[in-house]
């Protein structure tokens, strides 16, 4: 949500002050017109990486502003997950991504993006597919409701690619994750 005050744009990453108090939300005529966003990624570190398949067929590349989780189906199964966090959702009820792309080129694969705990247990699944040829990009226009807004979570990025001699992949790439 864009907020303009005296012809100046107030980014969602800034604070809005009223009577010297910082506010997370701004209402006009009882309608929410602006809400501060909380950056999850980039920001929170990789808390845990679990390689659940053959080590050579699961990779994670993290530049700090772009993360890529890749499972490559070779002679063995590529399978693993990355947990980003932890972070609190207290005061927030929605989540969105900046250019999260998930795609599968192998019919023996899956991708999963979820909120969970440090052990990889899913609390709320956000994105899941097993479809060969699945290719979707999620942006700020794709807003996900958080079922339990008062939780402490990790963002789980999980990929699996079954064993195949064709070298197929299951990949998740992301530039950002934000709470609103």
């Amino acid at each position: 949500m864009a907020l303009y005050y005296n012809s100046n744009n107030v980014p969602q990453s800034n604070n809005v002050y009223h009577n010297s108090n910082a506010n997370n939300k701004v209402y006009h005529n009882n309608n929410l017109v602006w809400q501060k966003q909380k950056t999850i990624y980039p920001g929170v570190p990789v808390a845990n990486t679990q390689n659940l398949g053959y080590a050579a067929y699961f990779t994670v590349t993290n530049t700090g502003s772009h993360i890529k989780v890749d499972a490559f189906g070779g002679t063995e199964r590529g399978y693993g997950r990355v947990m980003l966090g932890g972070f609190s959702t207290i005061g927030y009820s929605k989540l969105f991504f900046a250019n999260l792309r998930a795609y599968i080129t192998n019919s023996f694969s899956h991708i999963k993006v979820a909120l969970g705990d440090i052990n990889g247990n899913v609390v709320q699944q956000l994105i899941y597919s097993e479809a060969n040829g699945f290719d979707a990009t999620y942006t700020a226009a794709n807003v996900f409701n958080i079922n339990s807004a008062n939780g402490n979570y990790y963002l789980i990025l999980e990929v699996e690619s079954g064993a195949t001699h064709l070298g197929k992949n299951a990949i998740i790439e992301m530039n950002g994750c934000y709470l609103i």
Side-chain angles (χ1 to χ4, degrees):
M1 288 175 236
L3 176 66
Y4 290 90
Y5 182 74
N6 291 336
S7 300
N8 293 316
N9 182 21
V10 179
Q12 286 183 285
S13 58
N14 283 10
N15 289 314
V16 171
Y17 292 91
H18 179 69
N19 294 333
S20 300
N21 293 319
N23 295 305
N24 290 334
K25 297 178 182 178
V26 175
Y27 292 88
H28 180 70
N29 293 332
N30 292 327
N31 293 318
L32 180 66
V33 295
W34 179 88
Q35 183 173 5
K36 182 176 180 169
Q37 72 185 22
K38 178 180 179 180
T39 302
I40 301 302
Y41 182 86
V44 298
V46 172
N48 195 1
T49 300
Q50 296 174 319
N51 191 329
L52 305 167
Y54 185 67
Y57 298 133
F58 171 69
T59 62
V60 178
T61 307
N62 183 13
T63 68
S65 61
H66 179 87
I67 190 164
K68 180 179 179 181
V69 184
D70 184 0
F72 177 87
T75 56
E76 300 291 335
R77 169 176 88 147
Y79 182 21
R81 73 174 66 102
V82 172
M83 280 74 67
L84 299 172
F87 57 91
S88 172
T89 60
I90 294 172
Y92 299 92
S93 61
K94 299 178 186 301
L95 175 144
F96 70 91
F97 299 102
N99 300 321
L100 182 143
R101 181 176 178 217
Y103 53 101
I104 300 171
T105 61
N106 183 350
S107 59
F108 304 104
S109 303
H110 79 262
I111 58 96
K112 179 189 330 182
V113 178
L115 296 175
D117 65 21
I118 189 61
N119 297 315
N121 298 314
V122 172
V123 175
Q124 180 181 347
Q125 192 159 278
L126 304 170
I127 302 166
Y128 184 85
S129 181
E130 295 178 337
N132 184 17
F134 177 82
D135 189 345
T137 299
Y138 300 87
T139 65
N142 307 106
V143 177
F144 297 87
N145 290 320
I146 300 171
N147 291 343
S148 177
N150 294 323
N152 292 308
Y153 295 115
Y154 292 82
L155 183 66
I156 299 171
L157 307 174
E158 181 178 292
V159 292
E160 177 184 14
S161 183
T164 173
H165 68 285
L166 301 175
K168 303 290 187 170
N169 293 70
I171 296 174
I172 298 172
E173 296 185 80
M174 181 181 70
N175 292 335
C177 178
Y178 305 90
L179 296 174
I180 52 173

